[in-house]
Amino acid sequence: MASEEVAGKTVVNEGEHPKLKLSEKIALVVGSAPNTFHYQIIQMYLLFFYTDFMKINPAFIAALFLIVRFVDALIAPLFGALLDKISTPWGKYTPWFLILGVPFGISGWLTFTVPEFGETGKLVYAVVTYMIYSLFASIITIPSSAVIPAVTKRIEERISIAQLGFLFILIGALIVQVGTVPLYKALGGGDDARGFSILMAAAAVITIIISVFQSVRVKERYVLAVNKDQKPPSFKQMIKATFSNKYAVILYVYLFAGSISSGIRSGVQIHFYKYFFNNEGLMAIVGLVVLIPTLVGVAFSQRVIRRFGLRNTVLAGVIVGLVTCPVYLFIPADNAGLMIFIAASVLTSLIGGFASPAQGAMMPAAIDYTEWKSGLNLNAFMSSFNGFIQTFATALSGAIAAGALTVIGYVPGVEQSEATLFGLKVLVGVLPAVFGAFAISMFWFDLTEKKQAQISKELAERRKK
């Protein structure tokens, strides 16, 4: 028997394996660094890369983002259902770290490489490479999310894993936000497009090495044995079991709201810095400044979660994010405006740092709830909807951002008009708040830590039978 203190209460989990070693926790979440790197590179730089380096029309890019990512979003649940129905001699989820990691890294490098083709050839190349890269980006996180409920049922361990995972997310984000501009400029030696290609080639190598490490180090413990005489659940049964779980639905709404809100802002952030503050290098400076309070928040997140609980900690992050969004609309294009922008971003990052590990512990709890309620183990299928939502939100936010650049009269490489500059402020301030407001759905997530521990106990008893 193991007892833990979560949200100020002592809860008990029975039938548990020993606590995880730090090395296994690292193996579980280290992939968050390259995954975040690729995800943010797509969000923050792909639109810029296409418009300014490959000279592709923003309207064409908007259509490309929307169509391809929408198709990929539909593929993600199908892939998740496949993972839940099959097993391999090497594990149910862990082999997929390597199977997906290799082509994911390579396709990222190809996407950010400008070919020596004519205008039509570049368009075809952009479409093909982006389709492949986007497909893997939409499913790459499914195994890593699905495997956590199969590794541990301890609430405190899950919070610890989520906390450690967010640190690796920050590493990936730090490299993108702080290092991308100086790295591609330094590596290119005056040829920024070539610098991007070299940077993404290095990222591909690191992505592949990490995927190998994860596939051999993570150990699955709680995967139900498959009865050969038992028919696997149909896709319809999976859908019903997932969406009759209100906690999963709440988390999906929350994730969509946050993803599309941050996606719109990220998609035009470099345009905003380059043309509003006349300093493209602010991507690195501001990125570093706002990551520091995020690290502080993550470091103290377990204490905050114990004091206020998972739901309330996440809600605090939602509310602060909504309150600070409109501030960006009123900042002037001077040093005072920059300081206001940074201050609002720092506050949002600090509270968000408290909330992120709490959010990471909620989906495994929702997955356990589905198994407890329906008897179906749907780790990958339910996790796949995270990929579905993030992929669709990225498509929608990217299309909105690209289309909005055309609407506000953005022209690459020239001084922007006052109307265009105001439009950029709307894109980083007003629109993220509009979509982010849906994240308030977290208010109805009443699956308490005590209830989670009881579900974990009952699931352990079922496995003994």
Side-chain angles (χ1 to χ4, degrees), residues 8 19 22 28 45 64 69 83 89 104 123 150 224 232 268 280 290 304 323 338 430 443 463 465:
K19 290 185 177 181
L22 179 61
L28 275 168
Y45 286 100
L64 175 66
R69 296 297 276 173
L83 258 62
F104 182 47
L123 284 178
L224 293 178
V268 298
E280 186 179 343
V290 300
V304 174
V323 170
L338 180 59
V430 176
F443 178 80
R463 290 187 178 92
K465 296 179 180 179

Side-chain angles (χ1 to χ4, degrees), residues 395-412:
L396 191 56
S397 63
I400 291 172
L405 287 179
T406 301
V407 171
I408 66 177
Y410 169 75
V411 179

Side-chain angles (χ1 to χ4, degrees), residues 90-253:
W90 306 278
K92 191 173 182 66
Y93 307 113
T94 52
W96 292 96
F97 289 128
L98 183 59
I99 295 171
L100 300 179
V102 174
F104 182 47
I106 294 173
S107 61
W109 163 56
L110 293 175
T111 299
F112 281 90
T113 297
V114 180
E116 296 294 330
F117 299 153
E119 183 177 342
T120 302
K122 286 183 178 179
L123 284 178
V124 173
Y125 178 88
V127 170
V128 173
T129 55
Y130 178 67
M131 286 175 61
I132 298 171
Y133 189 31
S134 178
L135 172 62
F136 285 106
S138 68
I139 62 177
I140 191 69
T141 60
I142 295 175
S144 57
S145 297
V147 80
I148 292 177
V151 171
T152 182
K153 298 297 183 183
R154 296 176 183 271
I155 301 171
E156 188 75 3
E157 289 279 75
R158 288 176 174 178
I159 295 174
S160 176
I161 290 169
Q163 185 180 34
L164 185 60
F166 199 73
L167 291 176
F168 282 102
I169 289 174
L170 289 179
I171 291 173
L174 179 66
I175 295 171
V176 174
Q177 295 182 26
V178 178
T180 300
V181 173
L183 281 173
Y184 77 66
K185 287 186 176 295
L187 293 171
D191 184 348
D192 289 348
R194 179 175 177 272
F196 247 119
S197 180
I198 295 173
L199 173 62
M200 294 305 292
V205 173
I206 295 171
T207 299
I208 293 170
I209 291 173
I210 289 176
S211 68
V212 172
F213 171 67
Q214 289 187 288
S215 64
V216 299
R217 183 64 185 89
V218 175
K219 181 180 179 182
E220 299 172 12
R221 298 178 174 87
Y222 295 98
V223 177
L224 293 178
V226 178
N227 187 341
K228 295 182 179 180
D229 297 327
Q230 184 180 2
K231 188 177 179 181
S234 65
F235 191 79
K236 182 178 179 180
Q237 288 175 311
M238 290 181 171
I239 289 286
K240 182 178 179 181
T242 298
F243 288 95
S244 62
N245 178 351
K246 80 167 188 176
Y247 304 112
V249 174
I250 289 170
L251 286 170
Y252 294 147
V253 172

Side-chain angles (χ1 to χ4, degrees), residues 290 292-298 300 345-355:
V290 300
I292 293 173
T294 305
L295 283 169
V296 173
V298 171
F300 289 94
S345 300
V346 165
L347 177 61
T348 304
S349 298
L350 176 64
I351 307 302
F354 294 141

Side-chain angles (χ1 to χ4, degrees), residues 337-398:
L338 180 59
M339 291 301 103
I340 294 172
F341 177 83
I342 291 175
S345 300
V346 165
L347 177 61
T348 304
S349 298
L350 176 64
I351 307 302
F354 294 141
S356 293
Q359 171 197 341
M362 285 177 158
M363 183 50 72
I367 290 173
D368 282 348
Y369 182 84
T370 294
E371 182 182 346
W372 174 75
K373 184 178 179 181
S374 67
L376 300 179
N377 186 275
L378 303 178
N379 295 20
F381 184 69
M382 292 184 65
S383 297
S384 72
F385 278 96
N386 293 348
F388 170 87
I389 290 165
Q390 287 186 321
T391 301
F392 181 67
T394 301
L396 191 56
S397 63

